[in-house]
Amino acid sequence: MSSARVFFVGGLLSFRAQFNWLSPWILVPSLMVSPVAQILLFAYVGRAAGVGDDRFFLVGNALNYAAIPCTFAMTFAISGERWAQTLGLVLVTPARRLPLFLGRALPVIVTGWAVAVFGLGVGSLLLGVRLEVAVWPSLLLAVAVTSVSCTSLGLLMGAACLRIRDGATLGNVVFLVLLVFCGTNVALADLPAWMAAVGEWLPLTHGIEAARSVAAGAPLGDVAGPLVRELLTGLAYGVAGLATLGWMERDSRRRATLERM
Amino acid sequence: MTRLTTRARQLWLCYRLQLKILLVSPFEGFLGVVFPLMFATATLLVYRVEGDPRAMAYAGLGAAVMGVWTSVTVAASSLLNRERWAGTLELLVAAPTPFLMVLVPITTAMATVGLVSVVVTLVWNRLVFGVRLDVASWPLLVLGVLAATVTIAMFGFLLSVVAVRYRTAWALGASLEYPGWLLCGFVVPVSLLPLVVRPLSWALAPTWAVEAMRSAASGGSPWGELAVCLALGAAYAALAAYLGRRLIESARRHATLALT
């Protein structure tokens, strides 16, 4: 019961704290305007270059933008405690670490999912891309799996932020890597081989592949492979994140650097 | 010292100090260059699929200016909030130097970081993508880049003033990044955009600067586009000066200057 409370209530409180306790206004420009603008930017780049179609860019960029809330919010859920000088208080509690940090991940996953779905909905309306009603359940599932894997990457980044100070710069660099390497705007087959090989090991790549297939009408069974790979990639990053978090926590205690700015 | 040299000294010192701060900042210096560079990379990867060298050159030239827009809009929108959080806003407003004369060199320093991005992106495009720029007139092209830099700095000046009441203004600035790249025709011809949004493109000075750069590169006359670009930049500056005075007066009257 105690762990469930830490997971749900602790996670929700931590998430709310990211909006400075006062107003959700910050959501509008960062999580509603920017994803749609990125979708439109690359859809028009595609039109100008005569490459792909609007659906290709719509799905790729909507899912790519899910990485912003997933990685940034997860990073700041941990490093934000450090800046607020509350990390020591959080870690000194007897609460189990697994529900403590996974609880912080749940609202982040939901946000990433909602941002991508918003981008898909508004982007399809603006670009005139028709997504049949029948494809939405599978598409929503693919977005959810992708949000989970991106949040796992965010957990690893949050752990790294116990050592490095500039989480915002790290988050942006990771986002750029995902933009260029994961087949967001260019199919893996059209990327240089070494870039495609890197993309195979990153979250997002297989999620985008699966989402593009289901958006084009493929049944869910046909994309089970990419979805499972996406989930396994997320699981690997999640395990690495939790392990790094434990290591960084112990190391920070030993060096007394937990709250050093 | 005459009034003019005093003002020039103040502008230069303020510009130099801010440039130093920006260049050592990982977020505004490093990311100010890398963020648009990677978006230029993503854009050129799309153009590369068809492999048309003319289209690559078209996108490569425009993509180079994306960094100026990014450096200014993202940082300028939160400029006053940054001073406010640092506790220096009241000191700047109370100083005998007109407050607006403090803002202009700051946004110009931001645009200078963007100039670094222009050079880096052009070199990157050449080395990584083999984009060769066949430019008819380099001096006119450089003039176009400088016009883009100056007018985007003036746009940042306007933005910094307008966003003063918005508590999370940094998010507003970040959300202007992609629409600006699209509307200004950096990597997509404005003629491809829907008719309803084209007036927005025409109201943005960088649209004309990029057109001037393309004219200079192709051997045409860029003077008409440059004139419109600079006129728009002057209009941004005049509007920012007017609004800046009104907003500062209002903030003093309502005692909201230091409101965080």
Side-chain angles (χ1 to χ4, degrees), chain A residues 6-194:
Chain A
V6 167
F7 181 86
F8 287 107
V9 180
L12 185 63
L13 283 175
S14 167
F15 184 72
R16 285 179 60 199
Q18 296 192 45
F19 300 99
N20 297 337
W21 298 102
L22 285 175
S23 163
W25 254 104
I26 198 171
L27 288 170
V28 175
S30 1
L31 300 183
M32 296 170 89
V33 176
S34 289
V36 174
Q38 185 181 317
I39 289 166
L40 294 178
L41 174 71
F42 280 103
Y44 275 94
V45 167
R47 288 181 187 184
V51 174
D53 58 14
D54 287 347
R55 180 185 285 132
F56 180 88
F57 293 101
L58 168 69
V59 174
N61 287 286
L63 267 75
N64 175 253
Y65 214 88
I68 289 275
C70 291
T71 54
F72 275 74
M74 200 58 227
T75 303
F76 289 123
I78 297 169
S79 66
E81 303 273 9
R82 188 185 192 193
W83 283 100
Q85 299 280 294
T86 48
L87 187 61
L89 297 174
V90 171
L91 294 181
V92 85
T93 62
R96 290 175 57 220
R97 295 294 182 262
L98 203 63
L100 186 72
F101 289 113
L102 292 187
R104 281 158 163 73
L106 187 61
V108 173
I109 293 168
V110 174
T111 310
W113 179 84
V115 167
V117 172
F118 179 80
L120 282 169
V122 176
S124 62
L125 287 175
L126 292 175
L127 291 169
V129 174
R130 194 174 162 79
L131 293 171
E132 301 294 339
V133 177
V135 308
W136 277 98
S138 307
L139 197 53
L140 296 182
L141 179 67
V143 175
V145 170
T146 310
S147 300
V148 169
S149 65
C150 288
T151 305
S152 301
L153 174 62
L155 187 63
L156 181 60
M157 290 159 60
C161 282
L162 288 187
R163 179 62 59 84
I164 56 172
R165 281 186 298 177
D166 201 340
T169 303
L170 174 69
N172 275 292
V173 170
V174 170
F175 171 67
L176 292 170
V177 169
L178 296 178
L179 176 80
V180 175
F181 286 84
C182 291
T184 303
N185 292 300
V186 179
L188 285 192
D190 290 324
L191 281 177
W194 70 272

Side-chain angles (χ1 to χ4, degrees), chain B residues 10-11 29 64 71 74 84 91 93 106 108 118 121 132 147 149 172 177 184 194 209 211 218 254 257 259:
Chain B
Q10 174 263 315
L11 288 172
S71 298
V74 175
R84 185 181 271 150
L91 297 173
V93 170
I106 300 179
T108 309
V118 171
T121 307
R132 183 183 291 278
T149 308
L172 176 73
E177 196 170 26
C184 293
E211 279 303 308
S218 63
H254 295 102
L257 198 61
L259 189 67

